[in-house]
Short mmCIF file of all heavy atoms in Angstrom, two decimals:
data_model
loop_
_atom_site.label_atom_id
_atom_site.label_comp_id
_atom_site.label_asym_id
_atom_site.label_seq_id
_atom_site.Cartn_x
_atom_site.Cartn_y
_atom_site.Cartn_z
N SER A 24 62.12 85.66 110.15
CA SER A 24 61.16 85.46 109.18
C SER A 24 61.34 83.98 108.51
O SER A 24 62.32 83.56 108.29
CB SER A 24 61.43 86.36 108.02
OG SER A 24 60.55 86.10 106.86
N ALA A 25 60.19 83.34 108.30
CA ALA A 25 60.23 82.02 107.67
C ALA A 25 60.54 82.16 106.17
O ALA A 25 61.06 81.22 105.55
CB ALA A 25 58.93 81.26 107.82
N LEU A 26 60.16 83.24 105.59
CA LEU A 26 60.53 83.44 104.12
C LEU A 26 61.81 84.19 104.05
O LEU A 26 62.03 85.29 104.69
CB LEU A 26 59.38 84.39 103.46
CG LEU A 26 59.54 84.56 102.00
CD1 LEU A 26 59.53 83.31 101.22
CD2 LEU A 26 58.45 85.53 101.58
N GLU A 27 62.70 83.55 103.34
CA GLU A 27 64.14 84.19 103.31
C GLU A 27 64.61 84.19 101.85
O GLU A 27 64.33 83.32 101.13
CB GLU A 27 64.99 83.30 104.17
CG GLU A 27 66.37 83.93 104.25
CD GLU A 27 67.34 83.06 105.10
OE1 GLU A 27 66.86 82.06 105.69
OE2 GLU A 27 68.58 83.33 105.17
N LEU A 28 65.50 85.16 101.49
CA LEU A 28 66.00 85.37 100.29
C LEU A 28 67.65 85.46 100.42
O LEU A 28 68.02 85.78 101.46
CB LEU A 28 65.64 86.58 99.44
CG LEU A 28 64.00 86.80 99.16
CD1 LEU A 28 63.97 88.27 98.61
CD2 LEU A 28 63.59 85.83 98.32
N PRO A 29 68.27 84.96 99.32
CA PRO A 29 69.64 84.92 99.39
C PRO A 29 70.21 86.44 99.34
O PRO A 29 69.40 87.34 98.92
CB PRO A 29 70.23 84.33 98.13
CG PRO A 29 69.01 84.26 97.25
CD PRO A 29 67.82 84.31 98.06
N ALA A 30 71.35 86.88 99.84
CA ALA A 30 71.80 88.14 100.00
C ALA A 30 71.92 88.78 98.61
O ALA A 30 71.70 90.09 98.39
CB ALA A 30 73.19 88.15 100.58
N GLN A 31 72.05 88.00 97.56
CA GLN A 31 72.26 88.57 96.19
C GLN A 31 70.84 88.93 95.60
O GLN A 31 70.89 89.47 94.47
CB GLN A 31 72.93 87.52 95.26
CG GLN A 31 74.34 87.34 95.69
CD GLN A 31 74.53 86.65 96.95
OE1 GLN A 31 73.92 85.57 97.19
NE2 GLN A 31 75.48 87.04 97.94
N LEU A 32 69.68 88.48 96.17
CA LEU A 32 68.41 89.02 95.74
C LEU A 32 67.93 89.90 96.71
O LEU A 32 67.18 89.60 97.55
CB LEU A 32 67.42 87.69 95.59
CG LEU A 32 67.68 86.76 94.54
CD1 LEU A 32 66.81 85.69 94.46
CD2 LEU A 32 67.78 87.48 93.09
N GLY A 33 68.38 91.14 96.44
CA GLY A 33 67.98 92.38 97.39
C GLY A 33 67.87 93.61 96.61
O GLY A 33 67.83 93.68 95.18
N ASP A 34 67.55 94.58 97.31
CA ASP A 34 67.57 95.95 96.59
C ASP A 34 68.83 96.20 95.79
O ASP A 34 69.84 95.92 96.21
CB ASP A 34 67.37 97.02 97.73
CG ASP A 34 66.04 96.97 98.42
OD1 ASP A 34 65.20 96.26 97.89
OD2 ASP A 34 65.96 97.59 99.49
N HIS A 35 68.53 96.86 94.70
CA HIS A 35 69.67 97.43 93.73
C HIS A 35 70.25 96.23 92.91
O HIS A 35 71.28 96.47 92.12
CB HIS A 35 70.76 98.07 94.48
CG HIS A 35 70.32 99.01 95.51
ND1 HIS A 35 69.37 100.04 95.31
CD2 HIS A 35 70.49 99.08 96.90
CE1 HIS A 35 69.27 100.78 96.38
NE2 HIS A 35 69.92 100.18 97.37
#
Side-chain angles (χ1 to χ4, degrees):
S24 170
L26 181 62
E27 184 182 355
L28 301 177
Q31 294 72 43
L32 290 180
D34 293 347
H35 318 304

